[in-house]
Amino acid sequence: MRRKPRQKRPFSLKYVPVATDGGPDQVLTIENHTDVSVVPTLAFTPLDPYGRELPHVVTQTVHGSHRGGPVLPAGGTLRDILRFDGPGSRQVRGVHVELAAVEEIDHPALEQDTRSVMIDLEQKATDDPTDFWGIGLVNPNPFGVTVRVSLLEFEERERDFPRQVVDVVTLQEDVDLASVSNHVIWLPEDVRGKYDEVEHHLRQPTYT
């Protein structure tokens, strides 16, 4: 008797407590396997290394996916970075995620991912916060998109603990990117050297 093939879930999630590629720790990635773009609202239960719930730990997200707002495009992905606070927060090594709500929206599927990078004065990508003078944004898609951009500061690495985000500054206005375009945002000089990473996420479009 042949088994029926297992149907793919509409959404899949992956959590990485400590990055192995030099990127941010505590990253949650959500994949949308449907042909509908959505705005998800997530609920989190932090877990210790043995999979036990940590009831006094509060979970927040850089992009606000615990409140709803970031767009998860059809057939695409949404990446958010988690922060844990409260007694036992250093023990978090996993997280149980539930979709508390899902709002369907009218947003085209991306043909390629949008990108954000730190750039130096020559508009070259850099990983060095002391050379971080601006933000480079790229939209390779044949339609306009709207993104929200944040600057992140991380704590110093302590033993083998995941690095927490200690400060997030989000640009006051969302950025509308034209189709197949590059965009540069220069930062004030007093910002240079303070932030370690630039991150962005899709918002419901305002570009026409």
Side-chain angles (χ1 to χ4, degrees):
M1 183 176 180
R2 299 180 63 182
R3 293 184 178 180
K4 292 183 179 180
R6 295 179 63 182
Q7 290 187 341
K8 202 168 192 177
R9 293 183 178 182
F11 305 102
S12 59
L13 302 101
K14 179 182 178 182
Y15 175 69
V16 178
V18 178
T20 58
D21 60 359
D25 293 345
Q26 302 183 159
V27 171
L28 177 74
T29 302
I30 314 164
E31 294 186 358
N32 183 355
H33 304 294
T34 76
D35 58 2
V36 178
S37 296
V38 299
V39 174
T41 301
L42 306 179
F44 300 95
T45 302
L47 306 173
D48 70 8
Y50 303 100
R52 299 174 299 197
E53 181 179 349
L54 294 162
H56 303 296
V57 176
V58 176
T59 307
Q60 299 183 67
T61 63
V62 165
H63 295 319
S65 57
H66 62 298
R67 298 186 302 267
V71 170
L72 174 56
T77 61
L78 165 63
R79 189 176 96 147
D80 210 339
I81 299 173
L82 309 188
R83 175 187 167 85
F84 303 103
D85 296 288
S89 59
R90 280 297 193 189
Q91 302 304 314
V92 177
R93 294 297 182 275
V95 64
H96 176 70
V97 185
E98 293 183 357
L99 283 170
V102 179
E103 175 190 358
E104 295 186 4
I105 64 167
D106 183 15
H107 191 288
L110 298 187
E111 295 184 9
Q112 298 181 60
D113 289 335
T114 54
R115 300 190 300 277
S116 59
V117 294
M118 301 191 301
I119 59 173
D120 61 19
L121 282 174
E122 297 180 351
Q123 298 190 30
K124 294 180 179 179
T126 179
D127 293 327
D128 187 346
T130 60
D131 291 330
F132 182 19
W133 285 92
I135 302 163
L137 298 170
V138 180
N139 175 27
N141 297 281
F143 49 83
V145 297
T146 298
V147 298
R148 182 164 294 180
V149 181
S150 298
L151 309 180
L152 278 58
E153 179 186 0
F154 293 95
E155 66 184 358
E156 294 295 325
R157 175 74 65 190
E158 182 182 347
R159 295 165 50 190
D160 60 346
F161 295 138
R163 291 178 72 196
Q164 292 259 39
V165 174
V166 294
D167 189 23
V168 179
V169 171
T170 300
L171 301 192
Q172 290 185 342
E173 296 184 1
D174 292 347
V175 182
D176 293 325
L177 300 176
S179 61
V180 194
S181 66
N182 300 307
H183 186 72
V184 171
I185 301 172
W186 294 111
L187 300 174
E189 187 172 348
D190 59 1
V191 169
R192 186 166 59 94
K194 183 175 181 182
Y195 294 98
D196 304 296
E197 192 83 27
V198 59
E199 292 280 337
H200 77 284
H201 63 276
L202 292 174
R203 302 291 291 182
Q204 296 199 50
T206 58
Y207 185 86
T208 56

